């Protein structure tokens, strides 16, 4: 069976899905999207969720305390705080006074929860990169680069490049281009006080907080439609291939009884799913934008029941998910996740062989990792396909946006 190609699902240029919005810029489309039959209901639903007071994702509606102590990072696990501060100050030195006011928020501002991953701009938080002069734009991306691993920054940039590639394919470059993303700072850049930044737009959203030597990058949303670039200056870019291959190996390597236990639904659109399990935009994933307080019950099989070889594959999946972190914070995060394997659950929806589309989730008191294959938005596939996926990283029980660390910080005391 041949591998499906995204090019088989390109809309004709005169198809209403693309023709009706051609020529609109991001701000014009933000208004038009409110009455769009696809985007409109999503926007209406999300408006009910933002802004709500932040609690954090839980598995049962009760936030578990004591999971994220405010303490210096271990030796070799420190955040690149000095590099991050230097990059942020460079950015602040390049912006105008008006841009600086638009760029910066309090470290616990509700605007931090305004991020979203669709192509339409629901909340105009911070500065829009494609509206900035190149030196300012590059300085903003310099903050991102200083905070992430080299491979993490390259992945983010590749997702942005794929977005530009998609915009060119469907002739919507004003809506989807390499820099159609918002960037904001939260708090005052400091090597001692908590502060952070946010980058969000179509298929790439990262929220980063540094508190002394601790680094939290969560929530993270990364996705792609399509998952590769096959023409132009960035030809050869591919994303999430290894993660998907590892997940298939993991599922295929489980004993049949455990595989059956992990499979919550056999089909990606399963009649057994309760009402609301499928979201028009999020589809199967649960921890997307505006879901900061969602209750997500654990499903599937306990990780501690996996045989050792499956656990090793799970470790590799986790490593791929958190590879955006610099080496030190990544080691700390890996250890935190593994220490809670005794309370972790792995669940799956769909098939796992060949090119079958699937969804999976790893969930524990300290992490939610999701990957979901999707139907087309700017491609015409009406069934989930392997060339369109969303991935999510959440830190439940209150430490998305590093909020639990901020809450404990001496300067935050009343």
């Amino acid at each position: 069976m041949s591998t499906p190609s995204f090019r088989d699902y390109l809309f004709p240029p005169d198809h209403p899905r693309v023709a009706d919005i051609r020529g609109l810029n991001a701000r014009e489309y933000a208004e038009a999207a409110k009455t769009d039959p696809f985007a409109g209901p999503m926007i209406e639903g999300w408006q009910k969720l933002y802004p709500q007071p932040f609690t954090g994702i839980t598995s049962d509606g009760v936030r578990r305390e004591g999971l994220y102590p405010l303490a210096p990072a271990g030796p070799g696990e420190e955040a690149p705080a000095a590099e991050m501060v230097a990059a942020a100050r460079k950015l602040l030195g390049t912006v105008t006074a008006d841009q600086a006011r638009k760029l910066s928020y309090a470290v616990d501002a509700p605007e931090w929860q305004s991020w979203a991953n669709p192509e339409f701009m629901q909340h105009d938080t911070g500065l829009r990169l494609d509206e900035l002069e190149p030196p300012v734009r590059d300085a903003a991306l310099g903050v991102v680069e200083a905070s992430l691993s080299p491979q993490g920054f390259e992945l983010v940039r590749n997702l942005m490049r794929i977005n530009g590639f998609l915009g060119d394919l469907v002739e919507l470059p004003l809506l989807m281009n390499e820099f159609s993303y918002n960037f904001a700072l939260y708090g005052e850049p400091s090597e001692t006080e908590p502060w952070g930044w946010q980058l969000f737009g179509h298929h790439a959203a990262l929220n980063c907080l540094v508190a002394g030597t601790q680094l939290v990058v969560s929530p993270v949303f990364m996705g792609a439609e399509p998952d590769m670039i096959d023409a132009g200056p960035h030809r050869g870019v591919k994303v999430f291939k290894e993660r998907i291959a590892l997940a298939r190996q993991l599922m295929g390597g489980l004993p049949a009884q455990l595989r059956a236990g992990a499979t919550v639904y056999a089909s990606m659109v399963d009649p057994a799913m309760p009402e609301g399990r499928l979201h028009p935009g999020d589809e199967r994933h649960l921890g997307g934008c505006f879901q900061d307080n969602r209750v997500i019950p654990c499903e599937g099989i306990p990780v501690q029941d996996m045989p050792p070889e499956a656990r090793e594959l799970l470790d590799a999946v986790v490593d791929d998910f958190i590879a955006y972190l610099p080496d030190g914070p990544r080691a700390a995060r890996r250890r935190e996740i593994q220490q809670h394997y005794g309370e972790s659950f792995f669940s799956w929806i769909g098939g796992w062989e060949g090119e079958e589309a699937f969804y999976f989730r790893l969930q524990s008191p300290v992490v939610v990792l999701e990957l979901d294959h999707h139907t087309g938005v700017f491609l015409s596939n009406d069934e989930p396909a392997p060339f369109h996926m969303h991935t999510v990283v959440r830190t439940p029980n209150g430490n998305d946006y590093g909020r639990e660390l901020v809450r404990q910080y001496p300067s935050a005391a009343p």
Side-chain angles (χ1 to χ4, degrees), residues 157-380:
R157 293 293 288 115
N158 280 339
L159 298 180
M160 296 168 71
R161 291 167 183 138
I162 289 174
N163 189 55
F165 175 66
L166 176 64
D168 289 340
L169 278 177
V170 299
E171 300 178 28
L172 296 171
L174 297 179
L175 300 184
M176 294 183 292
N177 61 71
E178 185 177 344
F179 301 110
S180 53
Y181 295 84
N182 284 50
F183 182 86
L185 292 177
Y186 293 86
E188 182 71 24
S190 167
E191 292 188 40
T192 56
E193 295 293 309
W195 70 280
W197 55 263
Q198 174 185 67
L199 175 77
F200 72 91
H202 193 210
H203 282 144
L206 295 92
N207 299 277
C208 173
L209 178 122
V210 60
T213 55
Q214 284 204 55
L215 183 71
V216 176
V217 185
S218 175
V220 171
F221 183 107
M222 296 186 186
E225 182 193 26
D227 63 343
M228 62 181 296
I229 298 176
D230 65 358
H234 301 298
R235 181 177 181 176
V237 164
K238 299 178 181 180
V239 292
F240 305 121
K241 298 292 189 181
E242 182 175 358
R243 188 175 308 181
I244 289 168
L246 287 168
R248 292 190 195 279
Q249 290 176 43
L250 169 58
M251 194 61 171
L254 288 175
Q257 186 174 357
L258 284 179
R259 189 185 309 125
T263 304
V264 182
Y265 300 103
S267 173
M268 292 289 272
V269 181
D270 198 304
M273 289 177 173
E275 184 179 356
R277 183 60 185 86
L278 283 175
H279 184 273
D282 291 333
E283 298 199 16
R284 282 146 297 275
H285 75 74
L286 303 172
C289 57
F290 308 109
Q291 302 300 328
D292 293 314
N293 299 332
R294 186 163 191 162
V295 176
I296 304 177
C298 292
E299 298 177 297
I301 59 172
V303 166
Q304 62 186 0
D305 289 352
M306 290 182 176
E309 57 273 18
R311 191 89 60 88
E312 289 180 9
L313 284 166
L314 181 64
D315 287 342
V317 170
V318 169
D319 276 344
D320 195 77
F321 262 98
I322 65 173
Y324 57 79
L325 291 169
D327 288 347
R330 188 188 321 161
R333 184 65 163 145
R334 181 190 301 116
R335 185 178 62 256
E336 178 182 58
I337 292 170
Q338 291 177 343
Q339 285 176 342
H340 286 84
Y341 271 176
E343 301 176 84
S344 300
F345 288 80
F346 178 78
S347 58
W348 191 276
I349 297 174
W352 53 272
E353 297 180 291
E355 292 295 319
E356 291 180 285
F358 62 80
Y359 161 92
F360 73 84
R361 181 169 82 251
L362 173 68
Q363 182 173 352
S364 84
V366 297
V367 78
V368 174
L369 306 178
E370 297 182 281
L371 185 148
D372 190 25
H373 285 121
H374 276 225
T375 55
V377 176
F378 287 98
L379 299 173
S380 66

